[in-house]
Amino acid sequence: MKRTTDILVIGSGVAGLTFAAKMATKRPDLKITIVTKNNIEESNTKYAQGGIATVWNLDKDNYEKHIEDTMDAGDELNNREIVEMVISEGPKRVRELIEWGTRFDKETNGDYELGREGGHSENRVLHYKDITGWEVERALIDRVKSFDNIEIFENYFALELITQHHLGKVIMKITPGIECYGAYVLNRNNFVTETILAKVTVLATGGAGQLYRVTTNPKVATGDGIAMVYRAKGRIANMEFVQFHPTALFDPKEESPNFLISEAVRGHGGILKHKDGEEFMHKYDKRGSLAPRDIVARAIDKEMKIKGTDNVYLDVRHIEKEDFIKHFPNIYEKCLSIGIDPMKDMIPVAPACHYFCGGVVVDKDGKSSIKNLYAGGEVTYSGLHGANRLASNSLLEGLVYAHNIHLDIDKVIDNISINNDVPEWDTTGTSEPEEMILITQSLKEIRDVMGSYVGIVRNNIRLQRAMNRILLYYRETEDLYKTSILSQQLCELRNLITIGYLVTKSSQLRHESRGLNFNTDYPDRLPYNELTLI
Ligand code: FAD
Ligand code: SIN
């Protein structure tokens, strides 16, 4: 089945929905189609807790401070021009969110309440209780649903970006002028693979936290967008920089994903400790529990190894109960539900995979290396985050890039036409996989391999072991893929294997310890800045 649209948006988190709403306002004459692989709200965005970092109180804060905090957290691997652009555009984009009905907490005097998180030198995080992402997603869904020129397809899983490869041409990384004509998408409601042709495609598929067993990311975060661009021979960069959040709730009974204990809790006075009450963060950084994430996660990892424990603790018992519940009602309820009263007990926490700083290379307008393919949000490498993302800069990046992408598309779309020569998806010669265990076991294995060998602390032997195993999973899964009727599980496994390969390969290529890439065989930082382009 073939559909045509002017703009195909893949993904319905902050980046995809903000883009669609802005584009629909600017160009009511264009048809915009959003496909999303689950229901519309399911995304990393929905689970964001801490909030959106932006310069708001100009009496105390300024762009320069936010820029320097971002560069410092990113270990100076950031692209300064992009950092300046995102930080200075931020307040305008957040104001628009507020105009669209997003609520943020206010002080009694009516000013917005600004929270603090690790690596920030000022209070600048706008938030809605401890469920900011849920509120942002709610407001954006209301907004996109108000437009007649936006159509939304839920349970539509994008399989492949369509390029000249599907017209029978041989495409390589060095081939000039690779173009995107839309995407092949599996309609999970009837298992038909549809061909969606578009003048322009906007990729907003988020990150890949599901590559690790211990992760804060929901099931949808399987790196599909990055894997699709890699297969389409687009540019990918800096995949070694996988961010581990220092404080996911440690609950041995909980299935993936792991519940997050927001960094805002530390911004509100929470202190990291051992079971016996000993504090340890001051040994690693003068900012203590509020140092940037890479430093805190590494310190916790080291302390757990020294003590032989599976977790450390976050102590919030000194915070007034009413104040804690007002700011963190969701976290309070979750802790109570597993028998931990944060006012009496320290909260057990451990690091969990949280965010991908690398991804599809885009310029300041969100243009990828593939013509007519834009990307925004966590799926990208934009240059904002460098070697480690500053807390609460991600929602901001999604908003700013959605804006820039819509401006650029408005300028070019009238000169682009649909390519009607694209063939339908070919399903000949395939059958149902006989055993699901061929998929589920490989998924378990690759997650464990990544956690054990490509985690917070790496070395060359571990990376090579991981690579040997990933290549085996790759071969086995490609064989299965070539002979099976498509299922979402098989495609997600295939994508995660690709992401595992990209993370491991990029880490092998970076001969230094910087930001989130900590390799004990290369303990020093190199004097020059370089991307890991793949
Ligand atoms: P997502 O919000 O992840 O959206 C991706 C969308 O693409 C989803 O709708 C998904 O279903 C869809 N999709 C994926 N693959 C396909 C496919 N093949 N076909 C069709 N659809 C597909 N950042 C902050 O700035 N502040 C915070 O406080 C904060 N807290 C966080 C807390 C948690 C628990 C987590 C997990 C993340 C947090 N982050 C935070 C990070 C931030 O939420 C994400 O980086 C950001 O929301 C990403 O937005 P996005 O639009 O790029 O992607
Ligand atoms: C958190 O609330 O700790 C998450 C913030 C982020 O990932 O930016």
Side-chain angles (χ1 to χ4, degrees):
M1 177 179 175
K2 261 190 196 177
R3 293 179 193 273
T4 57
T5 184
D6 291 304
I7 303 172
L8 172 63
V9 182
I10 309 178
S12 57
V14 64
L17 295 182
T18 307
F19 164 77
K22 291 199 140 242
M23 199 76 234
T25 312
K26 190 160 204 73
R27 293 292 300 265
D29 58 315
L30 296 178
K31 181 169 155 191
I32 300 163
T33 302
I34 302 175
V35 295
T36 189
K37 73 177 177 184
N38 204 299
N39 53 48
I40 187 167
E41 65 265 20
E42 194 54 12
S43 57
N44 275 5
T45 300
K46 177 183 160 189
Y47 298 94
Q49 292 188 357
I52 308 181
T54 200
V55 175
W56 204 260
N57 179 353
L58 288 169
D59 289 339
K60 289 194 178 153
D61 202 3
N62 58 48
Y63 294 141
E64 208 40 54
K65 284 189 195 171
H66 192 181
I67 290 165
E68 288 316 316
D69 292 347
T70 302
M71 296 292 299
D72 179 59
D75 217 347
E76 303 287 329
L77 197 65
N78 327 54
N79 177 334
R80 186 173 276 274
E81 250 177 64
I82 294 296
V83 175
E84 289 172 357
M85 181 275 287
V86 173
I87 302 300
S88 57
E89 286 292 306
K92 279 184 250 161
R93 306 287 76 87
V94 175
R95 252 176 231 116
E96 277 167 356
L97 260 193
I98 295 171
E99 280 160 24
W100 297 349
T102 310
R103 296 166 292 174
F104 293 111
D105 289 350
K106 289 185 175 172
E107 308 274 9
T108 40
N109 67 4
D111 289 347
Y112 283 103
E113 189 185 81
L114 302 174
R116 181 83 159 247
E117 290 180 53
H120 287 278
S121 57
E122 291 295 341
N123 283 34
R124 61 168 76 99
V125 182
L126 284 109
H127 56 94
Y128 179 70
K129 304 186 194 331
D130 54 356
I131 50 167
T132 310
W134 176 88
E135 172 61 9
V136 167
E137 191 71 12
R138 179 201 64 74
L140 287 173
I141 291 170
D142 282 356
R143 179 97 187 143
V144 293
K145 287 194 170 164
S146 70
F147 290 98
D148 289 338
N149 59 330
I150 298 182
E151 60 181 3
I152 301 163
F153 293 119
E154 297 182 298
N155 297 311
Y156 268 58
F157 178 82
L159 299 167
E160 292 296 355
L161 296 166
I162 304 171
T163 66
Q164 293 98 324
H165 167 79
H166 299 97
L167 303 175
K169 299 203 174 111
V170 177
I171 302 283
M172 291 186 294
K173 272 253 139 67
I174 49 161
T175 307
I178 304 174
E179 290 179 2
C180 180
Y181 309 123
Y184 290 116
V185 181
L186 178 68
N187 176 350
R188 291 172 56 218
N189 305 301
N190 60 9
F191 299 101
V192 170
T193 298
E194 300 185 8
T195 308
I196 306 189
L197 299 176
K199 293 176 182 164
V200 164
T201 302
V202 178
L203 201 57
T205 45
Q210 284 289 320
L211 183 58
Y212 292 79
R213 189 169 47 79
V214 181
T215 179
T216 63
N217 286 196
K219 298 270 184 239
V220 292
T222 53
D224 304 337
I226 300 170
M228 285 192 284
V229 170
Y230 182 67
R231 286 195 291 271
K233 312 289 186 227
R235 298 313 316 231
I236 309 288
N238 282 19
M239 289 296 288
E240 66 274 38
F241 298 112
V242 178
Q243 185 170 72
F244 287 77
H245 196 292
T247 59
L249 180 63
F250 178 76
D251 175 11
K253 289 196 281 311
E254 188 162 57
E255 298 280 306
S256 167
N258 295 65
F259 183 83
L260 182 71
I261 306 292
S262 174
E263 203 156 298
V265 173
R266 275 174 283 139
H268 211 76
I271 300 169
L272 287 163
K273 293 185 178 172
H274 283 299
K275 196 183 173 99
D276 59 8
E278 180 199 348
E279 293 181 32
F280 55 85
M281 268 315 300
H282 56 275
K283 286 191 278 179
Y284 300 91
D285 194 286
K286 63 177 188 310
R287 290 164 287 190
S289 295
L290 270 183
R293 264 178 212 172
D294 54 338
I295 296 170
V296 182
R298 223 160 27 241
I300 294 177
D301 185 71
K302 187 162 176 191
E303 291 289 319
M304 291 190 324
K305 283 185 178 130
I306 293 170
K307 298 267 180 190
T309 53
D310 292 329
N311 64 284
V312 294
Y313 292 86
L314 190 58
D315 193 356
V316 300
R317 293 172 298 178
H318 51 287
I319 301 175
E320 206 192 311
K321 181 173 177 180
E322 230 175 84
D323 184 33
F324 189 84
I325 295 176
K326 179 174 162 233
H327 287 94
F328 308 110
N330 192 38
I331 292 174
Y332 184 73
E333 279 306 315
K334 175 69 190 185
C335 288
L336 287 187
S337 77
I338 61 162
I340 293 159
D341 179 348
M343 297 299 108
K344 295 188 184 134
D345 313 309
M346 292 197 290
I347 305 170
V349 291
C353 174
H354 185 64
Y355 184 86
F356 277 68
C357 297
V360 178
V361 177
V362 289
D363 69 6
K364 71 171 193 359
D365 298 317
K367 279 203 284 274
S368 76
S369 62
I370 296 178
K371 205 169 160 205
N372 304 333
L373 177 70
Y374 291 74
E378 191 171 341
V379 68
T380 65
Y381 165 78
S382 69
L384 174 65
H385 308 307
N388 171 49
R389 175 176 66 96
L390 181 65
S392 286
N393 265 357
S394 175
L395 294 172
L396 187 73
E397 181 186 40
L399 292 173
V400 170
Y401 272 85
H403 177 80
N404 292 3
I405 293 170
H406 104 287
L407 291 182
D408 203 75
I409 290 180
D410 179 46
K411 282 191 240 149
V412 298
I413 194 159
D414 295 325
N415 296 320
I416 304 171
S417 37
I418 300 274
N419 187 327
N420 283 306
D421 298 333
V422 172
E424 298 260 25
W425 184 259
D426 182 7
T427 53
T428 49
T430 56
S431 60
E432 294 278 1
E434 280 178 18
E435 297 179 313
M436 274 305 282
I437 194 164
L438 298 179
I439 297 172
T440 54
Q441 183 57 28
S442 293
L443 187 58
K444 274 191 207 148
E445 287 177 22
I446 188 161
R447 283 178 171 166
D448 282 341
V449 163
M450 294 304 292
S452 303
Y453 298 140
V454 202
I456 294 172
V457 175
R458 303 166 183 178
N459 65 37
N460 291 348
I461 295 179
R462 290 189 200 175
L463 291 174
Q464 192 51 50
R465 278 199 171 198
M467 184 54 86
N468 296 342
R469 284 155 180 75
I470 289 166
L471 293 175
L472 173 69
Y473 304 138
Y474 171 75
R475 285 193 295 274
E476 289 175 353
T477 307
E478 284 306 295
D479 285 348
L480 195 61
Y481 179 80
K482 283 185 194 127
T483 55
S484 300
I485 290 178
L486 288 184
S487 69
Q488 182 168 340
Q489 292 95 323
L490 177 55
C491 294
E492 287 179 342
L493 170 65
R494 190 170 175 246
N495 290 336
L496 284 172
I497 290 170
T498 301
I499 303 298
Y501 169 79
L502 292 171
V503 171
T504 309
K505 185 81 205 161
S506 303
S507 195
Q508 286 182 312
L509 290 172
R510 185 168 288 281
H511 294 180
E512 66 170 338
S513 287
R514 183 191 282 252
L516 297 157
N517 186 65
F518 191 79
N519 183 329
T520 52
D521 288 315
Y522 306 113
D524 299 324
R525 202 180 101 160
L526 293 173
Y528 52 87
N529 289 353
E530 220 172 55
L531 298 187
T532 320
L533 263 182
I534 294 204

